[in-house]
């Protein structure tokens, strides 16, 4: 689970201040009757295209991007009841005589808006793909311009939800915060928040398909968007055309086990990439001359900040161990930000010793720079919807003692994540989900390409393997010997060729592929 590629609205880490990156990536049963088709009731109308909503200060938008809204049921089991709006965007790139259909896009999050994603992808996809598809973006229900939800959280950041234990491993404060956040949402939004789940978002996608007049839709989902795509494919298999899933979630581990079972190992697999960058600058950064030494320096620094946070010059927050780990997580998402991460570690270390340099101050200012917000969007919108989705897709365990025991074991096994993934989240105190978790369907048409990096700290390798296993013969797997959260356009001609070939011809690789040809930008 994490952010999307650079765009006018959501660019991390390319093209936007690094602090904006602190958006989370990347976290069986059967669906209700009528999941695979609309329940009886009103059907969608055509979308009236016009101007898109205002952007945050300083951001720009492709003038050819058109936007509109679509009214959908809050609860698809009560289709004539309360309605909400879903904001949709379109970039008409397909050429007459070559058009295959539409390519619906989702940037993940969970709970990132996607209105700007068509122009982001238009800048990265070749003409052969753009000639065949009109690119469609949307803000998922409850997110940004789609009837945005807000719990009124005091800390509006998604990272504020991450439950890092105290320096001594205690989770007492985490239990209190989880209970308070769940109560705040229940008191502020109430029972309706239960309907802002992935299954209903998938049903909204099919309403978009109908409103566009398309028999089928192709889809590209990143991070959390891979789970959304897998759910759509399972509920609406007859309406699914070509599907690309990049940086993947294992649908059998939604969501408690996705976090607890994979994030510690994912960080351990990815961290050495950054440690090597720091070690290569040992003469100036003095963090260590090899991966083991840099890792030891980092863990010592995190422990020191857990016990004594350090004030950040010119910032309203102090740097503690949790914030150090969260910024490290965010900067590991892209190979291009590894040099910044190494300098950030040095600046943080100097900060704790009261010996910051001008270079340190510049790095800290870059990392913690304010990010402009879009007009009319609640500050805690993503945090609210992050909880709504992760808590509303599947029920979490409720026993506090089991969280405490698992956190202790996780801290010992995966010191880089300090027990956070296994700790208690607000979901432990959440209302029971509105419906059973959607079971992702194995097999079906062979129409899904899974793209997965070997060292992805947000949605680790095991997630892609798990999704491929869940889809069975319906999918093809392209693994890449690379780090970071994104696969396409990140230096592997092998992976790019498979992706473009599939989108242009519909042909998947005959067998699973492992690409080892990554070249650095």
């Amino acid at each position: 689970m994490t952010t999307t590629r650079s765009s006018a609205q959501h660019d991390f880490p390319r093209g936007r201040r690094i602090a904006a990156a602190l958006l989370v990536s990347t976290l069986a049963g059967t669906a209700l009757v009528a999941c695979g088709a609309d329940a009886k009731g009103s059907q969608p109308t055509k979308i009236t295209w016009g101007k898109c909503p205002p952007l945050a200060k300083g951001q720009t938008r492709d003038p050819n991007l058109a936007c509109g809204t679509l009214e959908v049921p809050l609860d698809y089991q009560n289709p004539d009841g309360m309605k909400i709006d879903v904001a949709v965007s379109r970039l008409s790139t397909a050429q007459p005589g070559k058009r295959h259909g539409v390519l619906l896009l989702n940037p993940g999050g969970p709970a990132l808006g996607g209105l700007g994603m068509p122009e982001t992808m238009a800048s990265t996809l070749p003409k052969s793909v753009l000639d065949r598809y009109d690119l469609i973006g949307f803000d998922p229900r409850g997110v940004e311009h789609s009837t945005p939800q807000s719990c009124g959280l005091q800390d509006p950041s998604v990272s504020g939800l991450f439950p890092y234990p105290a320096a001594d491993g205690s989770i007492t404060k985490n239990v209190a915060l989880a209970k308070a956040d769940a109560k705040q949402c229940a008191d502020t939004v109430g029972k309706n928040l239960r309907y802002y789940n992935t299954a209903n978002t998938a049903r909204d996608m099919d309403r978009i398909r109908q409103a566009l007049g398309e028999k089928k839709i192709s889809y590209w989902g990143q991070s959390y968007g891979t789970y959304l795509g897998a759910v759509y494919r399972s509920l609406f298999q007859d309406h699914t055309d070509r599907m690309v899933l990049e940086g993947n979630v294992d649908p059998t581990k939604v969501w408690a086990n996705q976090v607890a079972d994979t994030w510690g190992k994912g960080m351990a697999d990815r961290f050495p990439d950054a440690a090597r960058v720091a070690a290569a600058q040992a003469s100036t950064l003095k963090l260590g001359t090899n991966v083991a030494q840099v890792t030891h320096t980092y863990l010592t620094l995190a422990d020191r900040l857990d016990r004594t946070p350090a004030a950040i010059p010119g910032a309203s927050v102090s740097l503690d161990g949790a914030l150090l780990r969260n910024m490290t997580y965010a900067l590991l998402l892209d190979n291009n930000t590894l040099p910044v991460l190494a300098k950030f570690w040095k600046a943080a270390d100097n900060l704790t010793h009261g010996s910051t340099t001008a270079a340190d101050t510049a790095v800290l200012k870059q990392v913690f720079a304010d990010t402009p917000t879009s007009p009319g969007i609640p500050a805690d919108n993503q945090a609210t919807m992050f909880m709504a989705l992760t808590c509303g897709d599947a029920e979490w365990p409720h026993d506090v003692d089991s969280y405490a025991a698992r956190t202790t074991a996780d801290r010992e096994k995966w010191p880089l994540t300090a027990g956070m993934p296994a700790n208690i989240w607000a979901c432990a105190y959440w209302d029971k989900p509105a419906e059973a978790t959607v079971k992702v369907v194995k097999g079906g048409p062979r129409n899904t390409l899974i793209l997965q990096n070997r060292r992805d700290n947000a949605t680790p390798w095991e997630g892609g393997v798990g999704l491929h296993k869940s889809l069975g013969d319906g999918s093809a797997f392209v693994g890449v010997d690379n780090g970071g959260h994104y696969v396409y356009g990140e230096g592997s001609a092998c992976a790019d060729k498979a992706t473009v070939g599939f989108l242009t011809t519909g042909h998947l690789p005959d067998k699973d592929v492992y690409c080892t040809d990554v070249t650095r930008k």
Side-chain angles (χ1 to χ4, degrees), residues 163 227 232 306 362 519:
Y227 178 60
Y232 180 85
D306 278 337
T519 57

Side-chain angles (χ1 to χ4, degrees), residues 89-103:
S89 63
R90 180 183 68 186
L91 197 59
S92 299
T93 51
Q95 297 300 309
K98 296 183 179 180
R99 188 182 190 275
H100 177 76
V102 298
L103 184 62

Side-chain angles (χ1 to χ4, degrees), residues 136-332:
I136 306 296
F138 71 108
D139 287 347
R141 60 168 48 206
V143 174
E144 297 204 358
H145 302 285
S146 293
T147 312
Q149 299 299 296
S150 169
C151 291
L153 299 172
Q154 185 174 1
D155 182 351
S157 68
V158 175
S159 60
L161 303 174
F162 280 26
Y164 283 97
D168 63 358
S170 168
I171 70 168
T172 301
K173 290 184 178 180
N174 304 123
V175 172
L177 179 61
K179 187 180 295 185
D181 284 345
K183 185 177 186 302
Q184 176 74 15
C185 286
D187 291 346
T188 304
V189 185
K191 297 290 185 182
N192 282 350
L193 200 56
R194 298 166 68 238
Y195 301 110
Y196 291 87
N197 58 23
T198 298
N200 279 336
T201 304
R203 296 176 185 121
D204 295 342
M205 287 168 53
D206 205 59
R207 286 294 184 100
I208 293 172
R209 175 194 64 80
Q210 294 175 53
L212 294 173
E214 300 288 338
K215 292 182 179 180
K216 292 185 176 184
I217 54 172
S218 294
Y219 175 84
W220 188 316
Q222 300 168 344
S223 196
Y224 159 80
T226 64
Y227 178 60
L228 174 60
V231 169
Y232 180 85
R233 185 185 185 278
S234 297
L235 298 184
F236 300 99
Q237 199 167 98
D238 292 343
H239 298 156
T240 303
D241 197 0
R242 300 166 187 174
M243 183 168 282
V244 177
L245 304 179
E246 178 185 24
N248 299 274
V249 171
D250 184 341
T252 68
K253 292 181 177 292
V254 172
W255 284 105
N257 290 333
Q258 173 72 23
V259 176
D261 291 352
T262 68
W263 274 13
K265 185 176 185 301
M267 180 63 81
D269 288 344
R270 173 59 167 161
F271 190 89
D273 289 342
R276 276 186 283 272
V277 172
Q281 303 172 69
S283 61
T284 55
L285 297 183
K286 302 184 185 307
L287 297 173
T289 60
N290 55 46
V291 170
Q293 290 180 4
V294 173
T295 302
H296 176 75
T297 300
Y298 174 81
L299 291 173
T300 302
L301 173 62
D303 181 69
R304 188 159 65 244
L305 287 169
D306 278 337
R307 300 174 190 282
T308 309
I312 303 171
S316 59
V317 296
S318 293
L319 181 61
D320 59 11
L323 187 52
L324 175 78
R325 296 183 185 96
N326 281 334
M327 290 310 305
T328 296
Y329 167 90
L331 292 167
L332 285 172

